[in-house]
Structure formats: structure tokens, C-alpha cells
Amino acid sequence: SCPSELFYDEAGCYIRLLDIDTRLDDSSLIECKRNSENWTQIDLDCDSPEQIQEAFKELLAVKKVSREHAYKLGLWNEREANRSGLLDAEELEIPCWRYALISLPHPILKQGLSILDTAGLNVLRVEPELTLSLFSSAEAIIFVLATDSDDTSCDLEIWRNYINRVRRDDQVSVAVVMNKIDALWDSASDESAYSLSVASQITGITEKLGIDKQLIFPVSARQALMAKINPDADLLEKSRLANLESYLSDSVLSYRGQLSKQSIIK
């Protein structure tokens, strides 16, 4: 539940974590970024995948606090507590961190790309700045859905209440990633049946979200990762990652270049 911002900083490779209790100060995220006192830094060794993996586990850190404290932080409300069976709980488990700044020396990040992972509906509810400021200033929004998920109520709420508000702005490019398509593969099915199943899912998303089919990208992130770790051209093709990569490079980045050119001309 920790929104994370990935970018490149010449100062080094690190994770900076903002204490969840800064919500009590009514400080905005932008204000917190200017103040180094509330951040905990973990330096990353880019030559050690094991050290990086261990460091990233800290993003999942939680702690137990009283219900009153969770309420003050905006992390408890009666309706959600009743739904999850925690209405009478005296102690609650909450995230340790409010926000993460992650500097990595990836070539695309070095070109100026910054990626924000918002971490889901609960974070958007308690951090309105993410939608009021960061969403509206984004050049592209990639909305990720899980094909194997039966409960889409949270996804629809995010789409209708947050993404649709900025989608009307021509300055923001919006696409939908339909992840985990490998879950649609049935051992008894053939390739044509699998393709029909994927196409059916795309049609369903088109109807629910009101977005063009051309902007929906079915992907298997798991297959793509395995194909890149153990070079496997056939598996990479099956993951369908290439279509999404082409969209990001040809549409989003070129669009960013056009905006920069217009800004210079003005």
C-alpha cells in the first residue's frame, strides 16, 4: 500500500521512504519532498540483485497501531472496517510508509521518464494529492487489470472516479493493460480457443470502461519476465508484451516529444 515513484537521480541508487505518520502534520507530498528529515534512506547496490531484492521488501513493512491512531491517519473508516470484519478491532495493521522515492540507473529512466505506481484504491482515497496533482500532470496513465480477478468493483471505482476525470484532457494518454492472460489458458484448449478467450475479455473491458479496443493490451507479465531472464523468443511473443512496449515507445514517448517541441516554440 505504498505508492512508489521510480526515476533516475545522478546522486545515486536508493530507496527513500516517507514515514506514514507525516499524515498527521497535514503536509503535502510535495512539501515532504522538500524536507529530508522525515525520510529513511536505503542505499542500493546495483551490482547485487540480492541486496536490491532485500531492500525492496521494506516497501511491504507494516506495524500495529491503535484504532484511534489509524483513524487519525485516515486509514480506518467504519464502512470498510465493517466490510473486512475489523469493526471492533482495538489494534490494526497499517503500512509503515506513506510514499517511496526509488532511484534506479535504468536507461529509460535516465532519459527522463518517471513512473508512479499508485498502489490501488485505498491509497487514492487517503492521498488526494495523487489524483489532484500527480495524475493531472502525468503524460500517460497505464491502468492495470488482472484477468483472473472476479471482483472488479474497486477497479471500476478507480476508473470512474479518478482516471476518467483526467482522461478527458487531451494532454494525458490513457491505456489499459489486461495482465495475467496466461490464466485464461486451459490445458485442454488449443491456440484458437485461447485467442477467443482473450478477445472476449477485451470486449468485456471495452464495454465496462468505454475505451477503444486499440488501447487495451493483453499481457502476461510473468511469461514476459521469464522470457527475458532466460532468452526465449517464443515465450516472449506469447506474452504479447511487444504490443505494449511499442505503444509506450511510439505513442507515449513520441507524444512527449511533441509536447516539448510545442513548449519550446511557445
Side-chain angles (χ1 to χ4, degrees):
S1 297
C2 178
S4 304
E5 186 177 344
L6 287 82
F7 57 95
Y8 172 69
D9 182 356
E10 290 184 353
C13 191
Y14 58 77
I15 300 176
R16 287 179 185 158
L17 299 160
L18 181 62
D19 196 302
I20 193 71
D21 286 335
T22 55
R23 284 191 182 143
L24 298 175
D25 304 331
D26 292 327
S27 300
S28 70
L29 290 173
I30 292 176
E31 290 173 331
C32 288
K33 285 182 179 181
R34 296 175 184 150
N35 184 356
S36 60
E37 293 182 1
N38 297 315
W39 295 84
T40 297
Q41 178 161 322
I42 302 174
D43 293 323
L44 299 176
D45 180 358
C46 292
D47 295 323
S48 173
E50 294 80 10
Q51 189 270 342
I52 291 179
Q53 183 181 39
E54 193 64 30
F56 267 79
K57 289 180 181 179
E58 186 60 29
L59 294 172
L60 305 176
V62 295
K63 63 181 179 180
K64 288 190 174 182
V65 299
S66 67
R67 184 174 62 186
E68 290 74 20
H69 190 67
Y71 176 77
K72 290 178 182 177
L73 291 170
L75 298 176
W76 186 93
N77 67 67
E78 188 171 341
R79 185 183 68 176
E80 291 295 325
N82 187 47
R83 181 188 302 176
S84 57
L86 296 173
L87 191 59
D88 299 321
E90 293 300 321
E91 274 193 334
L92 297 171
E93 199 172 71
I94 67 168
C96 288
W97 310 112
R98 178 183 179 186
Y99 200 81
L101 295 171
I102 304 172
S103 171
L104 294 172
H106 191 282
I108 294 181
L109 299 181
K110 285 184 176 182
Q111 292 179 37
L113 180 67
S114 178
I115 302 171
L116 173 63
D117 180 358
T118 59
L121 180 59
N122 289 334
V123 170
L124 296 178
R125 284 173 174 166
V126 297
E127 293 287 0
E129 188 179 358
L130 290 177
T131 54
L132 296 176
S133 176
L134 298 179
F135 262 33
S136 58
S137 63
E139 287 158 5
I141 295 175
I142 308 300
F143 186 52
V144 182
L145 300 173
T147 305
D148 61 349
S149 176
D150 294 326
D151 183 11
T152 60
S153 56
C154 289
D155 294 330
L156 290 174
E157 184 174 342
I158 292 174
W159 182 265
R160 291 168 180 165
N161 296 339
Y162 299 98
I163 297 178
N164 256 347
R165 293 180 181 179
V166 296
R167 190 161 72 109
R168 303 186 189 99
D169 187 347
D170 292 336
Q171 300 277 326
V172 182
S173 178
V174 177
V176 175
V177 169
M178 194 176 83
N179 192 22
K180 301 184 180 180
I181 58 171
D182 51 295
L184 299 175
W185 180 267
D186 188 329
S187 58
S189 301
D190 56 19
E191 191 65 38
S192 61
Y194 174 61
S195 297
L196 285 173
S197 182
V198 172
S200 176
Q201 289 276 341
I202 293 174
T203 299
I205 291 174
T206 300
E207 294 172 351
K208 284 181 180 179
L209 305 185
I211 189 170
D212 193 292
K213 285 185 179 182
Q214 301 302 317
L215 294 174
I216 300 176
F217 298 91
V219 167
S220 170
R222 183 181 67 86
Q223 290 177 336
L225 177 62
M226 295 307 299
K228 295 211 172 193
I229 292 176
N230 307 301
D232 186 332
D234 291 337
L235 185 59
L236 187 60
E237 182 179 357
K238 191 173 183 179
S239 75
R240 305 196 188 189
L241 182 67
N243 292 334
L244 175 61
E245 288 182 327
S246 295
Y247 167 77
L248 292 173
S249 61
D250 298 340
S251 299
V252 176
L253 294 182
S254 65
Y255 182 60
R256 180 182 182 185
Q258 292 172 14
L259 291 178
S260 299
K261 182 185 289 187
Q262 291 173 8
S263 177
I264 293 172
I265 292 174
K266 291 178 182 179

